[in-house]
Amino acid sequence: MPTSNRTSIWLFLISFALVFYGVGVSFVESFVNYPTWRLIGANEFRAYHQALSPLIIGYMVIPMLITTILTMLLLWYRPAPLPRWAIWLAVVLQLIVWVSTAAIQLPIQMQLSRDGLSLPLIERLIFTNWWLRKVPQIINAFLFLWLMSLLLGVNSQRRAEA
């Protein structure tokens, strides 16, 4: 049910901010952190990876989980100018990231944490991360930009009419 009350607008704004926060932190993870793992010595890699993992949970996983929950809430409490299909698309894109994480990237991460440095595993992580996490995240970010433009367009039109 589309709504235009303050709650639905705030829900969208927080979701919007978290989408871009998630893109930012995941880009640092993908394009800074993962590639430099190749430079860490085999003797140090396990300790490094095990120390890094809890930080990723707090700074990346939890905010992205909140993003998905809030995006799902938009299915019921979306601002009126936002089409329902676009919210569904955002949910699907975010679920692709979660399924890929659980089915592919998390097992790789667990193996790296358990067994230590493996260049083939890091290469697989980087490759699957791009296609199954970054591409959906980029599409989702552009979708949220478009949704914001719809919301801003309607609100500026209302102000002009007033």
Side-chain angles (χ1 to χ4, degrees), residues 6-45:
R6 286 186 179 268
T7 303
S8 68
I9 291 172
W10 274 106
L11 178 62
F12 176 76
L13 291 175
I14 294 166
S15 300
F16 179 88
L18 284 171
V19 162
F20 283 91
Y21 172 84
V23 167
V25 297
S26 69
F27 270 43
V28 170
E29 177 76 354
S30 300
F31 301 118
V32 176
N33 198 22
Y34 290 168
T36 59
W37 285 0
R38 300 174 186 121
L39 305 175
I40 299 171
N43 294 333
E44 297 81 19
F45 185 84

Side-chain angles (χ1 to χ4, degrees), residues 67-123:
T67 304
T68 302
I69 292 167
L70 295 180
T71 303
M72 288 177 170
L73 285 174
L74 284 170
L75 291 168
W76 292 276
Y77 304 104
R78 72 185 189 283
L82 308 185
R84 187 175 186 84
W85 67 263
I87 303 301
W88 272 110
L89 178 57
V91 169
V92 168
L93 290 166
Q94 291 173 33
L95 290 177
I96 289 169
V97 172
W98 286 113
V99 169
S100 172
T101 298
I104 299 169
Q105 284 85 22
L106 193 56
I108 293 171
Q109 295 281 11
M110 290 169 62
Q111 189 174 350
L112 287 168
S113 202
R114 183 184 65 241
D115 300 339
L117 181 65
S118 167
L119 294 179
L121 281 178
I122 291 171
E123 295 305 321

Side-chain angles (χ1 to χ4, degrees), residues 140-152:
N140 192 49
F142 278 109
L143 177 62
F144 265 80
L145 276 175
W146 177 70
L147 290 170
M148 180 61 85
S149 75
L150 293 178
L151 189 60
L152 291 174

